[in-house]
Amino acid sequence: MAGRNGRTVRDLRRANRTAVLQRLYFDGPLSRFELGPATGLSSGSVSNVVSDLVTDGLVEEAGSVDSDGGRPRTLLRVAPGSGHMIGVDVGETRVRIELFDLTLTELARAERPLAQRRYEVEGIVGHIRDGVAEVLAEARIAPEQLLGVGIGVPGIVERTPDRGAVVHGQTIGWYDVPLESLLRATSQLPESVPYFIDNGAKTLGQAEMWFGGGRGARNAVVVLFGSGVGACLVTPEVEHGRAVEWGHLTVRVRGRRCRCGALGCLEAYAGAESLIERWREEGGRPPADEETALTALLAAAYPPEGTEADPVALAVLEETAEYLGAGLSDLINLFQPERILIGGWAGLQLGARFLPSVRRYAMSYALRHPAEKVTVDLGRLGPDAVTVGAAILPLADFFTRGGRRAEPAPEGPAPAWRTAMEERTPH
């Protein structure tokens, strides 16, 4: 039966379960007494919801605390082993797959290097499929125990009714790739295990907002600074974040050609790939491996005390800081965030040495009023942040369902992934 606002009793129960689970997850262990004011529920509702969650194995006791003259109060927490998630980062040099319990403790991981940035669709699908099987076997977790598989990818992701998540990754040569259907066609996971596929910058943003430097902020931008650059915008209107193709903002008319094919993109000046290429053009001799090359560039620009810095390396880094700062100023002017967090392997590697210059340029190019209200810092979650954020996607869905697992697909016509498999199978 639906109430005046259209909500049914089932909706109300689900919302109450969600409220209790989330408070225990982020602020627990808590007692039943503390859960009342924390969730806004009555003591009776809290008692009923906790009883249900304990029966379902989602909540367990975690000791007790003394009360004011009364009986000790039992503390409650989310049971770590009551669910598992897999997070996948389709990165620039490798595919990383990690298995987590419900509290995001890592249980197993697998990595598949990408030789010479080869993003062949079948190869990426194979890496994900094999990596998922590997981590499940290593941790001895049955596939049916998964709440879902979250995947962060480079590019724009859209959901379609017949093919699920479709990826448009222009910089890696992916056009209209039905990644979810292809994974379904080759994976041995049950159909009841959902895939959650989204832009890697968004999964990075999700992780930083839940567990990193974005906690407590209402408006934030999380920047992914790797071979290229991207960003995730989080506002009260966009609670779970929205990936923005910030790296393809035009910063110079008729400028350098970006790997997307356009001229003058921010990524053509501020990404690690372009940074190293510009160093090479100016006479530098970077190693072939991109991460090693960035380390060498930093060492040349910021040598040990008493050693002279390479002026070319220093100038290239300073120019990159200016372009990145100018790009951040656009984000400041457009969205007026409280915080900007810089993550990604290149952002973390450049780190504290690079950040003061970026901040200085961002403040000099931005409007004064929003610039005075924003902080620019490094992300706090390290190189695994995209993978953690990807794993949060099924976790967030689990919370939204009040701790219920996704319903198995109903009987009916052949699913889209099976059609995709048949279309790709030689006859």
Side-chain angles (χ1 to χ4, degrees):
M1 179 177 176
R4 290 183 180 179
N5 59 2
R7 299 181 74 189
T8 64
V9 173
R10 183 178 181 181
D11 293 335
L12 184 59
R13 287 174 178 166
R14 182 173 60 240
N16 291 348
R17 285 170 61 101
T18 295
V20 170
L21 273 174
Q22 288 184 326
R23 288 285 59 78
L24 288 176
Y25 194 85
F26 292 107
D27 302 325
L30 296 171
S31 67
R32 289 172 177 81
F33 179 78
E34 293 170 310
L35 278 169
T39 60
L41 300 177
S42 68
S43 59
S45 294
V46 167
S47 181
N48 290 335
V49 170
V50 167
S51 178
D52 286 346
L53 293 173
V54 170
T55 300
D56 291 346
L58 295 174
V59 168
E60 62 186 16
E61 293 185 0
S64 62
V65 292
D66 292 334
S67 63
D68 296 333
R71 297 170 56 187
R73 292 183 179 134
T74 301
L75 293 176
L76 303 164
R77 68 176 183 184
V78 172
S82 57
H84 300 84
M85 302 82 64
I86 287 178
V88 179
D89 175 12
V90 179
E92 293 152 333
T93 59
R94 44 95 191 105
V95 177
R96 176 179 291 155
I97 304 98
E98 295 182 54
L99 173 68
F100 302 91
D101 68 13
L102 200 64
T103 57
L104 283 173
T105 298
E106 182 188 309
L107 303 180
R109 75 161 56 197
E111 293 201 0
R112 299 288 189 274
L114 298 179
Q116 299 178 343
R117 300 182 179 281
R118 300 186 67 172
Y119 284 98
E120 288 92 345
V121 174
E122 290 80 2
I124 298 295
V125 169
H127 287 328
I128 296 173
R129 177 198 63 221
D130 296 344
V132 166
E134 181 180 326
V135 296
L136 288 173
E138 181 181 336
R140 298 182 180 180
I141 299 297
E144 292 77 13
Q145 293 179 260
L146 288 176
L147 302 179
V149 179
I151 305 172
V153 296
I156 298 170
V157 180
E158 63 178 2
R159 293 205 62 82
T160 65
D162 57 337
R163 297 187 297 167
V166 175
V167 183
H168 305 271
Q170 191 164 324
T171 59
I172 61 172
W174 282 20
Y175 302 95
D176 198 37
V177 172
L179 183 59
E180 183 174 352
S181 295
L182 295 175
L183 287 169
R184 285 284 179 209
T186 61
S187 173
Q188 296 180 357
L189 293 180
E191 291 184 36
S192 59
V193 176
Y195 286 95
F196 300 84
I197 301 172
D198 218 321
N199 178 274
K202 181 176 175 181
T203 68
L204 171 66
Q206 186 98 335
E208 288 288 350
M209 295 303 293
W210 275 38
F211 301 110
R215 287 201 69 179
R218 284 172 53 81
N219 301 277
V221 173
V222 183
V223 170
L224 176 59
F225 182 13
S227 294
V229 292
C232 173
L233 168 69
V234 181
T235 69
E237 295 78 26
V238 192
E239 182 182 357
H240 297 295
R242 183 181 74 226
V244 291
E245 291 295 326
W246 174 62
H248 303 289
L249 180 80
T250 301
V251 295
R252 191 165 182 173
V253 176
R254 293 188 296 275
R256 296 176 63 89
R257 187 168 297 280
C258 178
R259 58 182 182 168
C260 76
L263 297 175
C265 293
L266 174 63
E267 189 167 293
Y269 295 91
E273 182 179 304
S274 66
L275 168 59
I276 293 164
E277 181 59 30
R278 285 187 289 113
W279 185 32
R280 182 181 290 110
E281 291 171 0
E282 295 296 328
R285 302 178 67 180
D289 177 72
E290 197 167 84
E291 295 187 30
T292 306
L294 193 57
T295 301
L297 176 60
L298 278 170
Y302 306 116
E305 190 174 346
T307 307
E308 188 174 346
D310 178 347
V312 172
L314 196 58
V316 170
L317 275 176
E318 190 69 14
E319 182 186 42
T320 300
E322 182 169 9
Y323 274 109
L324 191 60
L328 293 181
S329 75
D330 289 328
L331 296 176
I332 293 169
N333 292 343
L334 285 169
F335 304 117
Q336 301 179 27
E338 299 168 44
R339 303 176 198 173
I340 293 178
L341 300 168
I342 300 176
W345 69 266
L348 296 174
Q349 193 167 329
L350 290 170
R353 289 273 197 172
F354 191 61
L355 196 58
S357 292
V358 173
R359 280 199 196 105
R360 185 176 67 253
Y361 285 117
M363 297 306 108
S364 67
Y365 282 108
L367 292 170
R368 183 182 304 169
H369 182 70
E372 288 174 347
K373 296 178 177 294
V374 68
T375 60
V376 181
D377 291 299
L378 294 176
R380 297 180 186 174
L381 297 182
D384 288 347
V386 172
T387 319
V388 172
I392 288 174
L393 298 177
L395 179 61
D397 178 75
F398 183 64
F399 283 155
T400 300
R401 295 174 183 274
R404 308 287 189 193
R405 292 175 181 269
E407 297 291 333
E411 293 291 332
W417 64 261
R418 186 171 294 144
T419 303
M421 179 173 65
E422 290 167 355
E423 288 175 352
R424 300 174 72 86
T425 303
H427 294 284

